Amino acid sequence: MNKNILTDFFLSAVLALSLSSCRSNDSSDPIVKEEPKLLENYSFQLTGAYPEGVDYDTKNKRFVISSFNKGIVYTLGIDGKTFAPLINDPHLIAALGVYTDEENERIIVVSGDAGASEKSGAGGSTAGQVAYAGVYNAKTGALINNVNLKPLVASGGVFPNDITVDKNGNIYITDSFSPVIYKIDTGYKGSVFVNNSAFSVSPNAFGLNGIVYHKDGYLIAAHTEKAKLFKISIANGEVSEITGVNDAFKAPDGLEWKGNDLVVIENGLAGGKAHVLSSSNNWGSASKVKEVSIGAAEFPTTAYAAYNGTVYVLNSYLGKLLGGDKTHADYQIKGVKL
């Protein structure tokens, strides 16, 4: 074979291999991201935990669970085997709402006191006197900042319950004992965002509870005692009742978006169910499209809607704790198809 032809042959082969190698490492090639597989159901054991809030931390692949009784925030690994404390802040009396703000790599937790927790004052002496919000590093649980909300309410009891965050990073928190929604801005300054008589609550009852943010610029909050949902404008704080849901549920607790539908968790003060609502007019009104019974004794409180189409509902058994029994040890995060 001619030497020049042989040389040209090898040069062509090397060039072809080089181009092939470049193509195989081209950053424009689509990368298929596989989501970690969630189990059908989860359970964890801890005597006297009585969890109240649950969310999921996608980056760290774990559920985040607050304890009403112990005032501690725990994590449960995606494999269902690793259950461990993450946040043990002495200011958390009853750890209630928990929110994984992944965009800002923080976990937000609110705490109140119903006089029934291990850290409560003797004889319920501190009930209704605690309104605390803590913001923690999502990976380590280290405290980033905290806000004492109690001075914002001049009179009456307080009990911050649930949390949501808007697109700008502002935090909104419901209060079950006072007719207010708090706001914590991005500089961690707290204020009363809304104080409205529609949110009023009877003594020894729970008022505002679950809350979610809608990308169109409003909040939706549940009122447990009145079995109502309210729409609150972020622009001006205007409050309107969402109609069409009369008798759709009782004792609404946690709220969770599932696509364009809203999941309402009815707690054990009623039948203990998960309801799915739909709206065709930007949540001026709504109608129920489905419900699934969880159980009153299980006392479901909150839920997380996962990417796999499953809604994971937290069984808190809080009825036992509120009745004075602190011995329950087995809890579930129940996967429900809605």
Side-chain angles (χ1 to χ4, degrees):
M1 182 180 290
N2 183 287
K3 182 178 179 181
N4 290 335
I5 295 175
L6 184 61
T7 301
D8 290 343
F9 173 80
F10 278 110
L11 285 174
S12 298
V14 170
L15 180 61
L17 287 171
S18 177
L19 289 172
S20 175
S21 176
C22 287
R23 281 194 296 269
S24 67
N25 291 291
D26 190 342
S27 61
S28 66
D29 286 351
I31 298 174
V32 178
K33 179 182 178 182
E34 292 188 7
E35 296 285 2
K37 184 175 176 58
L38 288 162
L39 303 180
E40 184 176 347
N41 296 288
Y42 289 85
S43 65
F44 55 96
Q45 290 72 42
L46 179 64
T47 300
Y50 295 102
E52 202 281 338
V54 67
D55 207 350
Y56 184 74
D57 182 351
T58 303
K59 290 185 177 180
N60 294 297
K61 299 180 178 59
R62 59 193 183 185
F63 287 93
V64 182
I65 304 161
S66 62
S67 168
F68 189 115
N69 183 40
K70 294 185 177 295
I72 297 173
V73 177
Y74 298 87
T75 60
L76 178 65
I78 195 171
D79 60 0
K81 299 176 181 178
T82 308
F83 180 71
L86 176 68
I87 300 167
N88 192 358
D89 182 340
H91 293 96
L92 296 177
I93 308 304
L96 303 165
V98 59
Y99 187 97
T100 56
D101 181 8
E102 295 185 15
E103 185 171 341
N104 296 295
E105 298 185 351
R106 59 186 183 172
I107 293 173
I108 307 161
V109 185
V110 291
S111 175
D113 189 352
S117 303
E118 290 182 1
K119 299 178 185 177
S120 295
S125 59
T126 54
Q129 301 305 307
V130 175
Y132 175 84
V135 183
Y136 310 88
N137 180 281
K139 185 174 183 179
T140 67
L143 181 67
I144 295 173
N145 214 315
N146 56 24
V147 181
N148 180 13
L149 301 168
K150 179 63 177 71
L152 299 174
V153 179
S155 61
V158 290
F159 194 78
N161 197 315
D162 199 20
I163 308 158
T164 194
V165 176
D166 70 19
K167 65 180 180 180
N168 296 317
N170 297 300
I171 302 166
Y172 300 88
I173 300 166
T174 56
D175 193 299
S176 296
F177 290 176
S178 288
V180 302
I181 295 175
Y182 306 101
K183 178 180 178 179
I184 299 174
D185 66 19
T186 56
Y188 296 109
K189 179 181 179 181
S191 63
V192 171
F193 174 61
V194 177
N195 186 332
N196 195 292
S197 59
F199 302 154
S200 62
V201 58
S202 304
N204 303 314
F206 282 81
L208 289 177
N209 205 319
I211 188 169
V212 289
Y213 166 73
H214 192 283
K215 60 182 176 59
D216 288 343
Y218 55 86
L219 310 170
I220 294 178
H223 195 291
T224 301
E225 181 187 22
K226 295 179 179 179
K228 292 181 177 181
L229 298 178
F230 293 97
K231 179 179 176 181
I232 306 101
S233 168
I234 285 180
N236 57 21
E238 181 181 350
V239 176
S240 59
E241 182 182 340
I242 297 175
T243 61
V245 296
N246 291 344
D247 301 320
F249 45 75
K250 299 177 181 178
D253 199 316
L255 303 179
E256 176 78 349
W257 290 115
K258 185 179 185 294
N260 294 320
D261 292 336
L262 183 65
V263 178
V264 180
I265 302 301
E266 173 185 299
N267 67 33
L269 296 175
K273 300 177 181 180
H275 304 267
V276 182
L277 305 185
S278 180
S279 176
S280 59
N281 60 358
N282 214 21
W283 295 95
S285 64
S287 58
K288 183 164 68 174
V289 296
K290 190 172 185 179
E291 71 173 49
V292 173
S293 180
I294 307 297
E298 285 78 1
F299 210 109
T301 51
T302 49
Y304 164 71
Y307 53 80
N308 62 1
T310 300
V311 175
Y312 289 91
V313 180
L314 177 66
N315 290 341
S316 73
Y317 297 88
L318 270 176
K320 289 187 174 184
L321 176 65
L322 298 176
D325 180 356
K326 296 192 176 186
T327 64
H328 194 83
D330 185 40
Y331 306 92
Q332 304 85 40
I333 303 175
K334 180 179 176 63
V336 180
K337 297 294 184 180
L338 292 174

